[in-house]
Amino acid sequence: MNLLPPLTTSIPLITRNTTDYIIYVDAVYGNDTNGGTFTEPLRTIGKAKEKVREILPTAEKDIYVMLKSGEYNIDEPLIFDNNDCSDDIEV
């Protein structure tokens, strides 16, 4: 079982940590031009989905998207398909 670091821990992420890839999203303080790190989170779930798709082809570890509490406005439905997961999992 992989345990994730608490969100109060300051560690540099989207570059890989020793166990997983972690992408942070914050609807209030994030920005979609950020890298998705703990200190520079993305703003939208859609951008996090794009980031997962960028990482997935070469990922050797699990990918987690950490959403900070808040309201995430979505202009259109978010659709996840097999491009959003590894080959051994189907959506």
Side-chain angles (χ1 to χ4, degrees):
M1 180 168 128
N2 292 330
L3 297 178
L4 298 176
L7 289 178
T8 56
T9 302
S10 181
I11 51 180
L13 292 171
I14 208 152
T15 59
R16 253 176 28 201
N17 71 15
T18 57
T19 58
D20 305 298
Y21 293 91
I22 304 174
I23 300 167
Y24 290 93
V25 185
D26 183 332
V28 176
Y29 298 107
N31 186 318
D32 281 346
T33 62
N34 287 344
T37 65
F38 179 80
T39 57
E40 294 184 338
L42 299 172
R43 185 177 191 95
T44 64
I45 298 169
K47 190 61 175 183
K49 179 181 167 183
E50 289 177 25
K51 205 54 121 163
V52 168
R53 286 184 174 190
E54 289 174 23
I55 296 169
L56 194 57
T58 58
E60 298 174 4
K61 305 287 183 172
D62 292 335
I63 302 171
Y64 293 91
V65 176
M66 304 296 288
L67 303 175
K68 185 168 184 185
S69 331
E71 292 184 25
Y72 290 83
N73 297 319
I74 300 173
D75 296 331
E76 55 190 50
L78 279 171
I79 299 172
F80 295 89
D81 59 30
N82 289 338
N83 294 313
D84 302 308
C85 63
S86 67
D87 292 337
D88 58 342
I89 298 174
E90 290 194 24
V91 177

